[in-house]
Amino acid sequence: MSALEPRAPDIAPDAAPDRAAAADAAAGRAQAVGGGIMGAAHRTLSIGIISVIFIIAFEATAVGTAMPVAARELDGIGLYAFAFSSYFTTSLFGMVLAGQWSDRSGPLGALTSGIGAFAAGLVLSGTAASMWLFVLGRAVQGFGGGLVIVALYVVVGRAYDERLRPAIMAAFAAGWVVPSIVGPLISGSVTEHLGWRWVFLGIPGMVIVPLLVALPEIRRSAGGPVDKDAAPEPFDRRRIRLAFGISVGAGLLQYAAQDLRWLSLVPALAGAALLVPAVRGLMPRGTYLARRGLPAVVLLRGVAAGAFIGAESFVPLMLVTQRGLSPTLAGFSLALGGGTWALGSWVQSKAAVVPHRERLMVAGMFMVSLSIAAAPAVLIEAVPVWTLAVVWGLGCLGMGLVIGPTSVLLLQLSPPEEAGANSAALQISDALANVVLLALGGAAFTALGGGAVGGAHTLGEGSGASHPGAFVAVFLPMACVALVGAWVATRLTARPPARAAG
């Protein structure tokens, strides 16, 4: 049986209520002692890892605001999508490595190494003299980000009782609220007055304090292998090879999508040849058939994240080049989303909504689809620009209803010794969908003249060529993908067994 396959329950169905009652009692005792995620037992760890999420969130919102300016100054608008997807491409390898590393010896090593690579990539991008060097920096950063995010999921799985996990996931989402508001303002101001490079170069120093806070607690509560008396398992070289294949294959597909010539079919086919077997080997069996349970959870994570990020990456560029907004205002248009995303996660963390979780996730995917489909309306001059902030806030509310619960469901379906591998599968689905959909969106954008958008180096003047159709070709297909996600969200739990007649 694959390490990623959900294992059959070890007890008969009739015993499930007794086990659930025992688990509830144990969870209640744990909460009484620890007082929740900010109680004495978890306070320092929670503050530390939420702070790490805060820095990652600030980086994402700040970099998204500065990216259109960086691409212009480096004459790389044609590689705009690649600057985003290169991050996700290398993160795929980091995720698989972090899953094995964490299961083998605990999440501490993967987390510290990931933070180091994340910071190094920011410095490389911030000092890049060409767009390709900028893309390389994003790739290094992505490798570090892949290590970090899987390691954090393993920390949550080991250090927090099952009943506390929705709360810590909601806190992760809340960690995006302030960065979503201040990130675009700070990044936009720095970009306009000091230059986009300082956005990248200023972030690495911010990670030191969260590390000093979190690492001792991670070492105490989640360090080492699950079974400390057993000899550590060797790294699975087959999975490492598959991880390398998935990263290289995704990179080749992205490169082919940015270079629209007949010769591009060669790297596209080579990428597919590497990607397909690697994905089949790293994902739970039945993932791309949306098989009920863990496979559907993993698939939904990719569909939701890929559709949303594939669209959101083009929002600042659309506002800067088509409506003449400054980078600050373009980034600030997404600020409302941080609050609504956190609101959706908070709603899903409440015990009272657990019986309705699946229906809320279906509703969330409909919200995401509607939001993405409505976003290009801002290309019409008569439509006020502020409407995009409202529309995108609705989509972020939907994402909050979906993303946190996928993490909670995954940990529920994963035995402790497989939490790293399964968390890696969830994050691989997320990142791979981002790469593939950004590649397709970038290809459509370039094919319809998007590469000529914003050719001037001046900001906020709307002086670039107008190609609204290039943006529509990105947003509408992403909305359709989100609709598929609404169907996948109906398959997250197994059907109850049919009652015998009579």
Side-chain angles (χ1 to χ4, degrees):
M1 176 180 288
S2 166
L4 292 179
E5 281 190 73
R7 299 198 303 186
D10 296 325
I11 57 174
D14 292 342
D18 294 336
R19 186 178 70 170
D24 287 346
R29 289 193 297 270
Q31 281 190 298
V33 173
I37 64 172
M38 288 299 173
H42 297 97
R43 184 183 301 117
T44 302
L45 177 61
S46 296
I47 291 172
I49 62 177
I50 291 170
S51 298
V52 172
I53 293 294
F54 181 92
I55 300 301
I56 292 174
F58 182 83
E59 180 274 337
T61 56
V63 166
T65 301
M67 193 76 79
V69 185
R72 275 177 163 179
E73 291 195 3
L74 295 173
D75 295 321
I77 290 290
L79 295 174
Y80 184 79
F82 210 176
F84 283 98
S85 64
S86 61
Y87 179 101
F88 299 112
T89 298
T90 52
S91 70
L92 291 165
F93 183 75
M95 289 167 185
V96 176
L97 181 61
Q100 290 207 33
W101 196 344
S102 298
D103 285 343
R104 184 176 185 271
S105 56
L108 193 62
L111 182 61
T112 54
S113 300
I115 290 290
F118 188 81
L122 283 165
V123 172
L124 182 56
S125 288
T127 57
S130 70
M131 191 63 178
W132 279 112
L133 281 176
F134 182 87
V135 169
L136 177 61
R138 292 285 291 164
V140 173
Q141 187 187 347
F143 174 70
L147 291 174
V148 169
I149 193 65
V150 170
L152 286 178
Y153 271 63
V154 175
V155 170
V156 169
R158 292 192 185 186
Y160 293 86
D161 181 84
E162 183 173 326
R163 186 159 309 176
L164 294 178
R165 291 173 192 164
I168 191 65
M169 291 300 176
F172 280 3
W176 281 78
V177 176
V178 173
S180 296
I181 296 171
V182 305
L185 292 175
I186 295 174
S187 176
S189 297
V190 170
T191 298
E192 292 179 39
H193 296 100
L194 298 178
W196 63 267
R197 295 182 185 277
W198 288 103
V199 174
F200 289 84
L201 297 176
I203 294 174
M206 299 171 64
V207 303
I208 296 174
V209 173
L211 277 179
L212 292 178
V213 172
L215 292 183
E217 284 300 308
I218 293 173
R219 183 180 293 110
R220 180 186 64 81
S221 60
V226 174
D227 186 353
K228 293 181 171 57
D229 296 327
E233 293 289 332
F235 280 98
D236 186 337
R237 294 182 180 179
R238 174 180 171 273
R239 289 181 60 80
I240 296 296
R241 287 195 301 270
L242 290 174
F244 184 75
I246 203 173
S247 296
V248 173
L252 288 172
L253 281 179
Q254 179 63 39
Y255 176 78
Q258 296 300 307
D259 186 22
L260 299 178
R261 297 179 297 169
W262 285 110
L263 285 176
S264 299
L265 287 175
V266 176
L269 292 174
L274 287 170
L275 199 59
V276 172
V279 169
R280 289 173 60 87
L282 292 171
M283 294 292 184
R285 186 175 299 171
T287 294
Y288 291 105
L289 297 175
R291 184 176 297 169
R292 288 185 174 274
L294 181 62
V297 171
V298 171
L299 178 60
L300 177 62
R301 181 58 166 262
V303 170
F308 188 80
I309 297 299
E312 186 180 57
S313 299
F314 285 86
V315 169
L317 185 67
M318 179 172 65
L319 294 177
V320 168
T321 61
Q322 304 299 297
R323 294 301 298 264
L325 269 64
S326 68
T328 303
L329 290 177
F332 194 64
S333 67
L334 305 177
L336 177 64
T340 57
W341 191 312
L343 175 62
S345 295
W346 177 81
V347 168
Q348 284 282 33
S349 72
K350 302 289 102 178
V353 306
V354 170
H356 313 290
R357 177 177 286 158
E358 187 173 310
R359 279 176 286 179
L360 284 173
M361 294 173 79
V362 173
M365 288 309 304
F366 276 115
M367 292 180 192
V368 172
S369 180
L370 177 62
S371 173
I372 295 173
V378 79
L379 292 166
I380 303 171
E381 289 290 337
V383 176
V385 173
W386 59 262
T387 59
L388 185 116
V390 176
V391 164
W392 213 249
L394 176 67
C396 289
L397 175 62
M399 288 295 285
L401 293 172
V402 172
I403 296 298
T406 60
S407 305
V408 173
L409 288 170
L410 177 114
L411 292 173
Q412 288 178 353
L413 294 167
S414 301
E417 67 275 10
E418 296 177 9
N422 288 351
S423 295
L426 188 76
Q427 297 301 326
I428 288 169
S429 178
D430 186 321
L432 182 61
N434 286 331
V435 171
V436 172
L437 291 177
L438 275 169
L440 295 175
F445 183 74
T446 301
L448 292 177
V453 167
H457 286 221
T458 54
L459 299 176
E461 300 174 1
S463 54
S466 178
H467 291 275
F471 290 99
V472 174
V474 172
F475 284 92
L476 294 188
M478 301 300 172
C480 294
V481 173
L483 274 180
V484 173
W487 170 75
V488 177
T490 66
R491 302 179 59 78
L492 303 180
T493 55
R495 291 185 185 276
R499 293 186 177 182

